[in-house]
Amino acid sequence: MTHPAKHPGKSFVVAVVGATGAVGREMMRTLDQRRFPISRVVPLASKRSAGKVLEFGASEIVVAELGPQSFAGVDFALFSAGASVSREFAPIAAKAGAIVIDNSSAWRMDPQVPLVVPEVNMGAANIRPKGIIANPNCSTIQMVVALKPLHDVSRIKHIVVSTYQATSGKGHAAVEDLLAQARAVLDGKLPAPSVFPGQMAFNVMSDWKAGEMDYSEEEHKMVNETRKIMGDDSIGVSPTTVRVPVLNGHAESIFVEFHEPMTAERAKGLLRAAEGVVLVDQAYAPGKHPQPVHASGTDPVYVGRVRDDLAVKGAINMFVVADNLRKGAALNAVQIAERLI
Amino acid sequence: MTHPAKHPGKSFVVAVVGATGAVGREMMRTLDQRRFPISRVVPLASKRSAGKVLEFGASEIVVAELGPQSFAGVDFALFSAGASVSREFAPIAAKAGAIVIDNSSAWRMDPQVPLVVPEVNMGAANIRPKGIIANPNCSTIQMVVALKPLHDVSRIKHIVVSTYQATSGKGHAAVEDLLAQARAVLDGKLPAPSVFPGQMAFNVMSDWKAGEMDYSEEEHKMVNETRKIMGDDSIGVSPTTVRVPVLNGHAESIFVEFHEPMTAERAKGLLRAAEGVVLVDQAYAPGKHPQPVHASGTDPVYVGRVRDDLAVKGAINMFVVADNLRKGAALNAVQIAERLI
């Protein structure tokens, strides 16, 4: 699948920080697949991973070690190497003149850093006093893409969301852990977890760091980031984040109540026209709705099972699935860069 | 683990209809493990399964073919052979003098049939004009056991529940399908679903029959059965049922709003004292909360992650896990019988 170059003329130097990680690799793939106008790509990583060779289209590029001098001449610096790396190096990259798009949690709630999902609030990206734009958390991105068109019409009052999150959200090693554990169980052995804090194969668990009030950090992200992206601190969010033994692709069961009553029929109309959304628009039937194995490897946010609530008039329920490495991370970051050029 | 006989003196003839199925086998195991006072156990099944030999404690018993004459002298008839078998044979068993405890959906919503969870509404079992008592759906049982103690104090207004349901709820063959599919994926092959309507391994899906208004039948059960068991038709339930690639043990993410405000602290106190509940009472930490692999093979309903809601004052969230074949089916049926003697 090849696209014509979208931006004839100018091309850019793009650094990818954390290029050997799950999201970093997806960023490289996405830049190539979408034919981002690149004059030079600069994969960066820690000393441990420097020297590795990564494919980029037809060429192979050696990963350089991240350092204070890495960003000379760089136009866009896409960060995905964890919060502490971003805290240290994002300001250095910005100072060197790069537009930083950071996939970590380091800058997301900084009032001077816009938190951007292109389909939802691209305008916010234009005001970036620190030269840094933050990419939201994967579970938040797919939710706000699905909810913004409805919020614009009926203003959201309350969201109850329970997630079914894939292991790839925790990185390569977590996926490998799940696969090794699954093989052990199938072979009648005890699984020996290497990344997860217990058995992940054929199990569900919440494995994120603890946040305040007995919520996980991931749950607080879904509350705070949703409000910041939507620009409405009055939105109530009741989140429960759960990891399921899926390789890639997050799913979310979402109940939404509005200030102005919504109907499933109207919501479907809005979602059919919404950017970045594929509405799975059919009556309930077993197995005929968005699923992680179908979404994985694709770009859209799939919304299905849109139905009027049985308890609260004017509320609806929906099931939202997306590739957490793509729209949930790498694709969203690259889309931000695309719209800035 | 042996228990002393609980009921010295009288003992009973117990028929198990659908004895070779996943729940039927669990019923036989449960009767034996709990030392139900049995003089004779009568495993019954369709012609296809008749003649099979089942273990019951130290003895082996041949499965007989279910027929109109099967219930002579039977005191308790535990049914778990699907709704159509129950519709035909439960009245015959009742007419022959047996107390029928039916695990199918056939009689659950019949106004003349009590729908019973012993910890919640055992009193209802005493009025059974048809001689039939219905055992609720697995996903409903564990939810009402966890919610009844709170409902008694603050009266539930609205429940939003998203389920993480194990494949064993669909029977033996579904578990085998998941295992075979998982092995195929691990071997780099395409899974070939035999029971599920698509890939179940490393995926999540809703695979129940369609009900009204784009909800699954399973979802409507959670609404209607909850109201009937709680004896309160004003309770609003917003259900989303999802199958996950777990062998055994259902999990549920539950948001609850009350007429009189509740707090997590108070809810924990009530749940600590509640019959049939094990409260997992610790602050959030990754991997330290109820999980299917821990609940599987045990009797209690595990309630954890009890926390004050972040959006609605006086509402709480919780994560509820139980063995869907035990408390969700076989154990609940046997407990009903135990309390009747």
Side-chain angles (χ1 to χ4, degrees):
Chain A
M1 205 166 62
T2 58
H3 309 271
K6 283 181 179 168
H7 317 274
K10 192 151 168 45
S11 65
F12 302 89
V13 178
V14 180
V16 175
V17 181
T20 58
V23 173
R25 283 170 198 260
E26 195 65 44
M27 281 171 167
M28 300 276 284
R29 252 194 303 272
T30 305
L31 287 165
D32 176 49
Q33 285 175 351
R34 294 175 71 87
R35 298 221 163 189
F36 193 89
I38 284 184
S39 57
R40 188 160 57 91
V41 66
V42 185
L44 298 165
S46 66
K47 193 167 190 169
R48 196 164 42 88
S49 295
K52 282 191 184 171
V53 176
L54 292 180
E55 288 184 11
F56 184 72
S59 49
E60 296 195 321
I61 308 178
V62 178
V63 177
E65 187 183 345
L66 172 66
Q69 310 306 322
S70 298
F71 300 97
V74 168
D75 298 300
F76 290 99
L78 309 183
F79 276 70
S80 186
S84 60
V85 170
S86 290
R87 263 189 293 271
E88 183 178 355
F89 286 97
I92 293 170
K95 206 175 173 190
I99 295 177
V100 173
I101 302 172
D102 180 33
N103 193 53
S104 84
S105 63
W107 301 96
R108 287 180 190 153
M109 295 312 296
D110 186 318
Q112 294 195 293
V113 173
L115 184 64
V116 176
V117 177
E119 296 90 338
V120 177
N121 66 336
M122 191 59 209
N126 295 323
I127 302 153
R128 42 175 196 275
K130 293 192 170 166
I132 302 170
I133 298 167
N135 208 37
N137 182 40
C138 47
S139 49
T140 307
I141 291 177
Q142 69 183 67
M143 185 166 80
V144 297
V145 168
L147 291 181
K148 182 57 163 45
L150 315 183
H151 181 62
D152 285 344
V153 168
S154 292
R155 210 151 72 78
I156 290 172
K157 185 178 171 187
H158 184 208
I159 300 163
V160 181
V161 54
S162 296
T163 68
Y164 303 72
Q165 291 182 240
T167 52
S168 64
K170 213 178 171 79
H172 279 320
V175 175
E176 294 302 323
D177 189 12
L178 169 59
L179 291 170
Q181 287 192 33
R183 195 170 285 284
V185 171
L186 290 174
D187 293 348
K189 295 176 192 157
L190 271 181
S194 58
V195 173
F196 290 100
Q199 182 175 338
M200 186 70 250
F202 306 104
N203 194 24
V204 306
M205 69 159 78
S206 185
D207 65 328
W208 292 271
K209 278 188 199 157
E212 290 177 0
M213 288 185 69
D214 280 348
Y215 285 79
S216 69
E217 279 191 352
E218 184 85 353
E219 287 160 349
H220 283 293
K221 287 175 188 172
M222 293 194 79
V223 178
N224 299 329
E225 296 182 17
T226 298
R227 289 174 174 168
K228 180 167 176 176
I229 298 163
M230 301 283 230
D232 186 343
D233 280 350
S234 76
I235 296 174
V237 184
S238 305
T240 301
T241 57
V242 180
R243 187 85 65 190
V244 292
V246 165
L247 303 179
N248 189 44
H250 287 356
E252 299 178 343
S253 165
I254 304 177
F255 162 92
V256 208
E257 196 179 349
F258 301 86
H259 287 281
E260 300 296 324
M262 178 58 68
T263 67
E265 222 27 65
R266 185 155 193 216
K268 284 190 211 173
L270 295 164
L271 289 162
R272 203 174 287 119
E275 200 191 339
V277 169
V278 168
L279 176 70
V280 180
D281 181 17
Q282 59 171 65
Y284 174 80
K288 301 295 180 195
H289 53 84
Q291 289 166 45
V293 289
H294 302 146
S296 180
T298 74
D299 289 349
V301 173
Y302 298 88
V303 184
R305 303 217 60 205
V306 181
R307 58 209 196 276
D308 291 305
D309 190 59
L310 297 174
V312 177
K313 220 176 149 65
I316 63 164
N317 295 281
M318 57 210 305
F319 199 70
V320 177
V321 181
D323 184 323
N324 49 293
L325 295 182
R326 289 202 175 201
K327 185 56 191 170
L331 173 64
N332 196 71
V334 173
Q335 285 172 325
I336 293 171
E338 285 175 349
R339 300 214 190 180
L340 288 172
I341 62 182
Chain B
M1 206 168 61
T2 57
H3 309 271
K6 281 180 180 169
H7 317 274
K10 191 151 168 43
S11 65
F12 302 88
V13 179
V14 180
V16 175
V17 181
T20 58
V23 173
R25 283 170 199 261
E26 196 64 44
M27 280 173 168
M28 301 276 283
R29 254 194 303 273
T30 305
L31 288 166
D32 176 49
Q33 285 175 352
R34 295 175 72 87
R35 298 222 165 188
F36 192 89
I38 283 185
S39 57
R40 188 160 57 91
V41 67
V42 184
L44 299 166
S46 66
K47 193 167 189 168
R48 197 165 44 87
S49 294
K52 282 191 185 172
V53 176
L54 293 180
E55 288 185 11
F56 184 72
S59 49
E60 296 194 321
I61 308 179
V62 179
V63 177
E65 186 183 346
L66 172 65
Q69 310 305 325
S70 298
F71 300 98
V74 168
D75 297 301
F76 289 99
L78 309 184
F79 275 70
S80 186
S84 59
V85 171
S86 290
R87 261 190 294 271
E88 182 178 354
F89 286 97
I92 293 171
K95 205 174 172 191
I99 295 178
V100 173
I101 303 172
D102 180 33
N103 193 52
S104 83
S105 63
W107 301 96
R108 287 179 190 153
M109 295 313 295
D110 186 319
Q112 293 195 293
V113 173
L115 184 64
V116 176
V117 178
E119 296 89 338
V120 177
N121 65 336
M122 191 59 210
N126 295 323
I127 302 154
R128 41 176 197 276
K130 292 191 172 167
I132 302 170
I133 298 167
N135 208 38
N137 182 40
C138 47
S139 50
T140 307
I141 292 177
Q142 68 184 68
M143 184 165 82
V144 297
V145 168
L147 291 182
K148 183 55 164 44
L150 315 182
H151 182 62
D152 285 344
V153 168
S154 292
R155 208 151 74 77
I156 290 172
K157 185 178 170 187
H158 184 208
I159 299 163
V160 181
V161 55
S162 296
T163 68
Y164 303 72
Q165 293 182 239
T167 51
S168 64
K170 213 178 171 79
H172 279 321
V175 175
E176 293 302 322
D177 189 13
L178 169 60
L179 292 169
Q181 287 192 32
R183 193 169 286 284
V185 172
L186 290 173
D187 292 348
K189 295 176 192 156
L190 271 181
S194 58
V195 172
F196 290 101
Q199 182 175 337
M200 185 71 252
F202 306 105
N203 194 25
V204 305
M205 69 159 78
S206 184
D207 64 328
W208 292 271
K209 278 188 198 156
E212 290 176 359
M213 287 186 67
D214 279 349
Y215 284 78
S216 69
E217 279 191 354
E218 184 84 352
E219 287 160 350
H220 283 292
K221 288 176 188 173
M222 294 194 79
V223 178
N224 299 328
E225 296 183 17
T226 297
R227 289 174 174 168
K228 180 167 177 177
I229 298 163
M230 301 285 230
D232 186 343
D233 280 349
S234 77
I235 296 174
V237 183
S238 305
T240 302
T241 57
V242 180
R243 188 84 64 190
V244 292
V246 165
L247 304 179
N248 189 44
H250 286 356
E252 299 178 343
S253 165
I254 303 177
F255 162 92
V256 208
E257 197 179 349
F258 302 86
H259 287 281
E260 300 296 324
M262 178 58 68
T263 67
E265 222 26 64
R266 183 151 195 220
K268 284 191 212 172
L270 294 164
L271 288 163
R272 204 175 286 118
E275 200 192 338
V277 170
V278 169
L279 176 71
V280 180
D281 182 18
Q282 59 172 62
Y284 174 80
K288 303 295 181 194
H289 53 82
Q291 288 165 46
V293 290
H294 302 146
S296 181
T298 75
D299 290 349
V301 172
Y302 298 87
V303 184
R305 304 216 60 205
V306 181
R307 57 209 196 276
D308 291 305
D309 190 60
L310 297 174
V312 177
K313 221 176 150 65
I316 64 164
N317 295 280
M318 58 210 306
F319 200 69
V320 177
V321 181
D323 184 324
N324 49 294
L325 295 183
R326 289 201 174 202
K327 186 57 191 169
L331 174 63
N332 196 71
V334 172
Q335 285 172 325
I336 293 172
E338 285 176 349
R339 300 213 190 181
L340 288 173
I341 61 182

